[in-house]
Amino acid sequence: MAPAAMRTAARSLSDAKPVSFWLDDPGKPDALPALTGDEHCDLLVIGGGYSGLWTALIAKERDPERDVVLIEGHEVGWAASGRNGGFCAASLTHGLPNGLERWPDEIAKLEELGERNLDAIEAAVARYSIDCEFERTGEIDVATQPHQLEELQEWHQEAEKLGFTGLEFLDRDALRAEVDSPTFLGGLWDRRGVAMLHPAKLAWGLKRACLDLGVRMYEHTRGLELARSTTSMAVRTPYGRVFARRVALGTNIFPSLVKRVRPYTVPVYDYALMTEPLTADQLASIGWKNRQGLGDSANQFHYFRMSADNRILWGGYDAIYPYGGRLSADLDHRPETFLKLAGQFFDCFPQLAGVRFSHAWGGAIDTCSRFSAFFGTAHQGRVAYAAGYTGLGVGATRFGADVMLDLLAGEKNERTTLEMVRSKPMPFPPEPFAWAGIELTKRSLARADDNGGHRNLWLRTMDRLGLGFDS
């Protein structure tokens, strides 16, 4: 970054609050008391993000008499569920290309289930009157380099041949009529497959819906240890215990209470900026009247969208893996990444020179080697888990909740018989090999972006192993 551009980027960040814009909201509900003493229930849900909230809610919808307890180590929506970009995608497979590569025989069913899942989220938002700024505006994959444009055109043709007709190709002029950036060469618009929403308000609305249905909920209550007793599972917490017939683990990035699951995920820290509200003139300079979500097509990609009050969220690019998978609040704030993102924002939208950022934050994503969730059970079917959503958990966690409840009930149905549900990704190796492999992959992806998309030997090897590393 040139010195003048760096100074401009730095000035734009001078007043940015180091907290998620979504969580910095006056409507944030008060925390519930921690659990003290012993509790007994039919179903214990561990984790108060989307995964746990949807599991508790659907459990009560399926059986209103079921006694459900949910415990959360901090506050509901505090982690990834309150720090993401607010894209709620229908895809269960981290995009159609990834799903087609991994489960070609099931992709039609997976796409159908994903569409139904997004419809069900939209219906639940309406049914429970959750004011989460839900807008089903779709998402545009944007090409900013010639090779990306060719890839989008080829993929559009391939998708249509396979019968997936919900995508619309936009040439340069058509795209810039939607959102105007001098860097845009074309794009692929999925009009119905993605919704925009306020992620923290969704979590808080699900919390209220669960409580209204009779879920007993405790915040600032970590699940410390999982053990099997004669007739139930026992979970130790800082000030008590919960005895439950069944347990659903929605802890995602945090170390699983089923220790053999831990090698399947690693934390990757992602970062985002939020601008101040744009003026009418600033809005007019970029267009963006249809409020779609956007993401560029680079390996090290950006995602960006408009908020309800006309701010632009700009995130992505840097993905930071801490050695040993260390989780720390210190890693939520990375000024060098914020500075880089700010400079890239003004490269994309030079007509917004002078805009300032109000918030800058980061958080950890639970990543697995196939980039989409995996599932399983432990303790002879009394415990179920889902993890590895790799950034698409805003929507896919609801599907994961259904799967966990199906598995706990021992049901054989269209979800539990999927190869995606029955199989596991490749686990990550121990350190120092995990860190070395991830760093080598990141550097290879950056070189591919600078070299017309050409994937080197390392990336081609990862592709052959089914690890992908395409995002």
Side-chain angles (χ1 to χ4, degrees):
M1 193 186 308
M6 184 173 293
R7 287 193 296 270
T8 297
R11 283 195 299 270
S12 73
L13 291 162
S14 61
D15 297 322
K17 298 170 69 173
V19 63
S20 166
F21 168 79
W22 310 117
L23 294 173
D24 186 27
D25 190 286
K28 181 178 179 293
D30 293 335
L32 297 169
L35 171 68
T36 58
D38 290 350
E39 268 279 21
H40 295 79
C41 60
D42 297 323
L43 173 67
L44 170 64
V45 179
I46 302 180
Y50 296 138
S51 186
L53 291 165
W54 282 119
T55 303
L57 184 70
I58 296 171
K60 292 296 283 186
E61 289 178 335
R62 291 188 182 188
D63 180 3
E65 300 304 313
R66 180 159 22 192
D67 188 16
V68 180
V69 168
L70 183 149
I71 61 173
E72 158 58 34
H74 193 76
E75 294 182 22
V76 161
W78 164 79
S81 297
R83 302 176 189 227
N84 58 77
F87 290 68
C88 185
S91 178
L92 306 175
T93 61
H94 209 275
L96 181 55
N98 188 56
L100 185 62
E101 175 68 25
R102 298 181 189 283
W103 302 289
D105 296 335
E106 292 184 345
I107 192 61
K109 173 57 68 175
L110 288 166
E111 288 291 296
E112 177 197 343
L113 289 169
E115 291 170 8
R116 283 160 46 188
N117 184 64
L118 183 55
D119 289 342
I121 292 172
E122 186 172 16
V125 165
R127 183 166 64 253
Y128 294 107
S129 300
I130 299 175
D131 181 16
C132 64
E133 301 163 14
F134 190 98
E135 298 179 276
R136 199 152 177 179
T137 54
E139 180 183 24
I140 302 176
D141 290 330
V142 174
T144 58
Q145 295 185 30
H147 76 273
Q148 296 170 8
L149 185 62
E150 293 175 7
E151 290 169 357
L152 287 181
Q153 289 173 315
E154 291 171 0
W155 172 244
H156 183 227
Q157 294 168 1
E158 179 68 17
E160 287 194 325
K161 287 179 184 177
L162 293 169
F164 301 110
T165 58
L167 303 174
E168 178 183 351
F169 182 78
L170 305 175
D171 64 17
R172 176 183 178 276
D173 291 342
L175 175 56
R176 292 188 64 173
E178 291 293 332
V179 186
D180 190 15
S181 166
T183 67
F184 290 176
L185 302 180
L188 202 56
W189 187 359
D190 180 353
R191 286 180 175 268
R192 290 285 299 166
V194 183
M196 302 296 109
L197 53 75
H198 188 303
K201 287 183 178 179
L202 175 61
W204 300 334
L206 291 173
K207 173 183 177 179
R208 176 177 53 80
C210 286
L211 293 171
D212 289 346
L213 292 181
V215 175
R216 302 198 304 286
M217 196 174 294
Y218 300 94
E219 294 180 281
H220 297 288
T221 302
R222 287 183 58 207
L224 301 175
E225 184 179 19
L226 175 69
R228 185 174 166 187
S229 67
T230 305
T231 59
S232 64
M233 299 303 300
V235 174
R236 183 170 61 85
T237 71
Y239 306 123
R241 295 173 299 176
V242 184
F243 296 91
R245 294 178 57 246
R246 297 288 185 269
V247 176
L249 299 178
T251 50
N252 296 321
I253 193 55
F254 298 100
S256 177
L257 292 181
V258 178
K259 292 182 179 179
R260 59 182 164 83
V261 176
R262 295 179 184 179
Y264 290 101
T265 62
V266 295
V268 172
Y269 276 80
D270 184 44
Y271 299 91
L273 308 176
M274 184 69 95
T275 72
E276 61 191 355
L278 301 187
T279 66
D281 287 345
Q282 289 167 337
L283 282 170
S285 74
I286 60 171
W288 213 343
K289 296 179 290 295
N290 291 313
R291 304 176 59 80
Q292 311 94 329
L294 289 96
D296 63 51
S297 301
N299 293 308
Q300 291 185 289
F301 65 94
H302 302 93
Y303 53 88
F304 40 117
R305 48 78 54 96
M306 192 81 69
S307 70
D309 60 347
N310 295 328
R311 302 166 185 261
I312 295 177
L313 182 147
W314 177 265
Y317 193 79
D318 270 353
I320 305 301
Y321 170 69
Y323 185 89
R326 179 174 61 96
L327 291 169
S328 170
D330 292 340
L331 296 172
D332 294 343
H333 309 291
R334 198 166 191 268
E336 59 268 43
T337 293
F338 298 146
L339 188 64
K340 186 184 301 180
L341 284 172
Q344 293 163 341
F345 175 86
F346 292 115
D347 287 341
C348 182
F349 293 119
Q351 61 269 54
L352 295 181
V355 166
R356 301 175 75 85
F357 294 99
S358 63
H359 295 76
W361 71 94
I365 295 170
D366 63 322
T367 300
C368 73
S369 60
R370 72 184 193 189
F371 301 105
S372 51
F374 63 92
F375 313 89
T377 61
H379 295 280
Q380 297 183 322
R382 296 183 184 184
V383 177
Y385 56 84
Y389 291 97
T390 317
L392 263 67
V394 179
T397 44
R398 189 195 173 281
F399 174 80
D402 266 328
V403 171
M404 283 195 286
L405 292 170
D406 291 344
L407 293 174
L408 289 173
E411 293 184 15
K412 187 175 183 180
N413 57 30
E414 63 179 347
R415 288 182 291 264
T416 59
T417 55
L418 290 167
E419 175 64 21
M420 176 192 179
V421 171
R422 293 185 292 109
S423 64
K424 294 284 193 299
M426 185 178 292
F428 289 93
E431 298 293 13
F433 304 107
W435 185 87
I438 292 170
E439 284 299 304
L440 179 56
T441 299
K442 285 174 53 182
R443 294 175 188 178
S444 297
L445 290 172
R447 283 197 293 271
D449 285 336
D450 294 335
N451 191 27
H454 176 72
R455 296 170 79 83
N456 63 16
L457 178 61
W458 174 258
L459 292 179
R460 295 198 303 273
T461 301
M462 295 297 99
D463 292 340
R464 287 195 294 272
L465 292 174
L467 298 180
F469 288 104
D470 57 355
S471 56

